[in-house]
Amino acid sequence: MQPIVDTSLWLAHKRRALAYPTAGADFLMRRAAEDLAERLGAVERKFDRAAVLFCQTPAASDVLATSGKVADIVRVEADAAFLDDGAGRGAAGLVAPLETVPFEPESLDLAVSLLSLQAMNDIPGMLVQIRRALKPDGLFLGAFAGAGTLSELRESLLAAETELYGGASPRVIPFTDVRDAGALLQRAGLALPVADVETVTARYDSLFGLMADLRAMGETSALVDRSRRPGTRKLFARVAEIYAERFSDADGRIRASFPIVWMSGWAPDASQQKPLKPGSAKISLKTILENPGGR
């Protein structure tokens, strides 16, 4: 499979962001962790062993630890640098290559991934590995940047490069949409698949504030086919103008969209609810439509 993302470069960006932290730039991870806490809280069961996969920070493992629902937590990262300050509250740390799930089959009760799947070249393969590592009736909860992420920046870059150079180079990675996410869960063999999307909208004084946050997140371009031509001041000045013209609010501040796609699925188990067989309904749709107020 032809890789789309240079994962070595993505990790280098993440290490640089870790070494030079910027206050507040982790707002997407904090939001994802808050949503994880809500979603886990709605699950009425406890888990013996959980893995937190390539989340880059202890935010997700801390949610599991404070939930009181998980006995044993292992935090997996692609670089020991992400574990230098510890794996998180009550969690063990493990280093493994990105896009791998380093656990025996049917050894996990819960697997969690926050904001890293979008950087993986083989998302279907990763989901298959997760399903294999889950015990029957084990749960996967994942969130990643979905289709529409940085759509304003993508459009502004395309317009500016076309205007200045007569063509454009790819600078923003392609993102998976929520419909495809549901299909990926089914393809991986996960039961009761659910995919939904929540959009976070951030506002900035200008393009350059957004770019600073992306650098601080470690989310600057890591495309394999990215342009090797350095962006000039002229280019980014024009991008900033177009961005402000097309995507600013009444107060002059610009918007940046971050749709977060959430996925959940369970390893198949005989105890799970099954859909009714076709033709097993006791009342026909025709009867309901013809007698809307009756029984």
Side-chain angles (χ1 to χ4, degrees):
M1 180 173 55
Q2 181 68 29
I4 296 173
V5 180
D6 183 339
T7 52
S8 295
L9 181 59
W10 183 79
L11 285 169
H13 290 167
K14 292 293 183 179
R15 287 193 295 268
R16 182 182 63 189
L18 179 69
Y20 301 99
T22 299
D26 62 343
F27 66 92
L28 286 178
M29 181 59 76
R30 286 188 281 111
R31 171 63 180 270
E34 291 170 2
D35 289 347
L36 172 63
E38 290 184 8
R39 290 167 186 265
L40 188 62
V43 180
E44 297 181 354
R45 61 171 288 184
K46 293 191 175 182
F47 304 90
D48 288 332
R49 192 180 190 214
V52 178
L53 302 169
F54 308 110
C55 297
Q56 313 129 50
T57 83
S61 60
D62 287 349
V63 167
L64 301 193
T66 57
S67 72
K69 293 189 171 187
V70 185
D72 181 28
I73 304 166
V74 181
R75 183 176 156 212
V76 182
E77 296 292 354
D79 193 302
F82 301 120
L83 299 169
D84 281 350
D85 293 331
R89 303 173 196 171
L94 178 64
V95 176
L98 193 68
E99 300 195 45
T100 64
V101 180
F103 297 97
E104 293 295 321
E106 299 188 6
S107 62
L108 299 174
D109 301 283
L110 172 65
V112 171
S113 173
L114 297 187
L115 302 185
S116 63
L117 283 171
Q118 74 276 356
M120 298 186 185
N121 287 299
D122 187 10
I123 297 176
M126 185 67 179
L127 293 176
V128 167
Q129 291 182 71
I130 290 170
R131 195 262 301 158
R132 287 174 180 166
L134 288 172
K135 296 177 184 177
D137 208 32
L139 173 63
F140 167 63
L141 287 172
F144 62 91
T149 296
L150 298 173
S151 57
E152 303 90 350
L153 177 59
R154 186 195 300 270
E155 181 178 324
S156 300
L157 281 165
L158 176 62
E161 284 199 292
T162 301
E163 177 184 310
L164 295 176
Y165 305 129
S169 302
R171 292 182 181 270
V172 179
I173 65 172
F175 296 100
T176 303
D177 72 18
V178 66
R179 291 168 296 182
D180 290 337
L184 288 173
L185 290 168
Q186 292 180 311
R187 177 177 170 184
L190 288 159
L192 308 175
V194 176
D196 61 272
V197 61
E198 296 186 7
T199 298
V200 177
T201 302
R203 300 204 314 144
Y204 295 90
D205 290 334
S206 71
L207 167 73
F208 303 104
L210 168 60
M211 291 176 63
D213 261 6
L214 293 176
R215 192 174 300 109
M217 293 178 194
E219 291 292 353
T220 48
S221 180
L223 283 166
V224 170
D225 292 331
R226 66 192 178 278
S227 173
R228 266 53 175 187
R229 177 176 58 194
T232 64
R233 290 186 178 182
K234 181 179 180 181
L235 169 63
F236 285 109
R238 184 61 185 134
V239 174
E241 290 174 352
I242 293 171
Y243 204 128
E245 290 167 2
R246 299 185 183 184
F247 304 108
S248 62
D249 293 327
D251 60 2
R253 305 191 79 200
I254 63 168
R255 304 180 301 278
S257 298
F258 298 93
I260 299 176
V261 174
W262 276 94
M263 299 190 297
S264 69
W266 298 80
D269 183 72
S271 66
Q272 292 165 351
Q273 182 178 358
K274 302 294 189 299
L276 293 174
K277 294 181 179 179
S280 63
K282 295 181 178 179
I283 301 176
S284 71
L285 178 61
K286 181 175 182 290
T287 299
I288 295 173
L289 294 175
E290 289 178 350
N291 300 277
R295 294 186 177 183

